[in-house]
Amino acid sequence: MSERPEPETVVTTEGERARPRRDMEERLSPSLWIRLLVYVVVGHLLGGFLYLLFEVGSRAQ
């Protein structure tokens, strides 16, 4: 008893069955993956830089 309706099956021009539409809707686009990767890398670089600033500042006193 799932609350989700059965996925619609897409039939291609050759008559073969393709993946259900639900699979395509749940997948993230490649541009979204790239943006996510950039945010994670930039976030870690910013965090590392702040950590470095605090380490250098604590030794300067």
Side-chain angles (χ1 to χ4, degrees), residues 1-22:
M1 293 275 167
S2 110
E3 294 183 14
R4 288 184 149 175
E6 287 297 317
E8 296 178 25
T9 302
V10 180
V11 178
T12 61
T13 55
E14 292 82 26
E16 60 190 27
R17 295 178 71 172
R19 289 184 158 186
R21 285 187 187 176
R22 190 178 69 179

Side-chain angles (χ1 to χ4, degrees), residues 10 28 48 50 60:
V10 180
L28 296 175
L50 288 175

